[in-house]
Amino acid sequence: MIDIHSHLLPEVDDGPKTWEIAVEMCRMAAADGITHMVATPHANDRYAYDRPYLRDLLAHLQQLVGDTPQLTLGCDFHLSYENLQNALDRPQGYTIGDTRYMLIELSNYSVPLQISDCFIKLGDCGITPILTHPERNPILQQAPQRVLEWAEQGCLVQVTASALTGSWGERTQSMARGLLERGAVHILASDAHDTKRRPPVMSAGRAAAAAIVGQEAANALVEDNPAAILASEALPYLPKPVLGK
């Protein structure tokens, strides 16, 4: 499996506090069958995103853990006006590795009505947005149709693997399942932050997805599609979202 969303680097955001925990997270991921992880530190008002500095930290973590899992740098990009302008000025400043894919996180307190325009602007700069964990957003839980519409417009959707197993509660699980059933989920990821509360495991989420959409589609969510993202290629599994109430 390939995990494109994880907080592995110590002392840069709300992820691990020590190198020891960061290494243990990588060990846990490998034991779960994860062969490649994208470290995605937050870029928001609280946490500055210094890509050269973070790249050096990631190289050090790779030395500590060895060959498995392989590590790539990305970003958990908070969609604010200032961040958006920075991304439009430097399209490769926040992407997953050197690809055209970028994780986009929305606020839990407000989702701009013009969000579709933001996705279009990023697309015009060559960036394909991947909306992270909409199933956990309380605003989108009230309006899941918006996520379906964004997926219809070409925005990719990443759901937290553990959301499908109920770790985030019944409401979140219900939305995650609903998005999956209606063809609006393209990637599962761990969004790991530590070794206990939010660990880097995805196998249980893959099994839960397989019970809903079948094993082949579930494998695509954690293997084929993430591999295509790392290669900056088109996704092989791209279901058509089922719109309507």
Side-chain angles (χ1 to χ4, degrees), residues 203-216:
S203 58
R206 175 175 62 180
I212 299 170
V213 294
Q215 192 65 57
E216 184 176 354

Side-chain angles (χ1 to χ4, degrees), residues 68-131:
T68 305
Q70 287 291 305
L71 304 176
T72 296
L73 182 63
C75 175
D76 197 356
F77 183 88
H78 183 77
L79 191 61
S80 64
Y81 176 81
E82 182 178 357
N83 261 3
L84 178 61
Q85 297 309 307
N86 288 337
L88 295 177
D89 290 339
R90 298 185 297 115
Q92 292 298 315
Y94 301 92
T95 57
I96 293 174
D98 295 323
T99 75
R100 58 186 172 92
Y101 293 99
M102 186 170 79
L103 300 183
I104 302 288
E105 179 183 45
L106 302 183
S107 170
N108 284 340
Y109 305 104
S110 65
V111 176
L113 293 175
Q114 66 274 24
I115 193 74
S116 294
D117 293 336
C118 296
F119 292 152
I120 291 171
K121 288 180 179 178
L122 289 169
D124 290 342
C125 286
I127 293 176
T128 299
I130 302 174
L131 180 64

Side-chain angles (χ1 to χ4, degrees), residues 7 9 11-17 40-42 44 46-47 76 105 191-194 197-198:
H7 297 262
L9 297 176
E11 300 182 318
V12 299
D13 59 7
D14 56 345
K17 303 304 181 186
T40 54
H42 284 291
N44 56 30
R46 182 179 179 186
Y47 301 110
D76 197 356
E105 179 183 45
D191 194 6
H193 280 63
D194 52 47
R197 192 172 64 91
R198 297 172 66 177

Side-chain angles (χ1 to χ4, degrees), residues 11 13 16 18 32 36 46 52 58 61 99 110 138 174 209 237:
E11 300 182 318
D13 59 7
T18 67
D32 191 56
H36 199 131
R46 182 179 179 186
L58 191 70
L61 181 58
T99 75
S110 65
S174 177
Y237 174 69

Side-chain angles (χ1 to χ4, degrees), residues 161-222:
S162 58
L164 287 171
T165 64
S167 294
W168 293 84
E170 184 176 342
R171 187 173 189 178
T172 297
Q173 182 183 32
S174 177
M175 180 160 174
R177 291 177 61 92
L179 292 175
L180 187 58
E181 291 167 346
R182 298 177 72 174
V185 178
H186 307 96
I187 310 106
L188 295 183
S190 74
D191 194 6
H193 280 63
D194 52 47
T195 58
K196 295 181 174 63
R197 192 172 64 91
R198 297 172 66 177
V201 295
M202 298 202 301
S203 58
R206 175 175 62 180
I212 299 170
V213 294
Q215 192 65 57
E216 184 176 354
N219 288 342
L221 298 177
V222 297

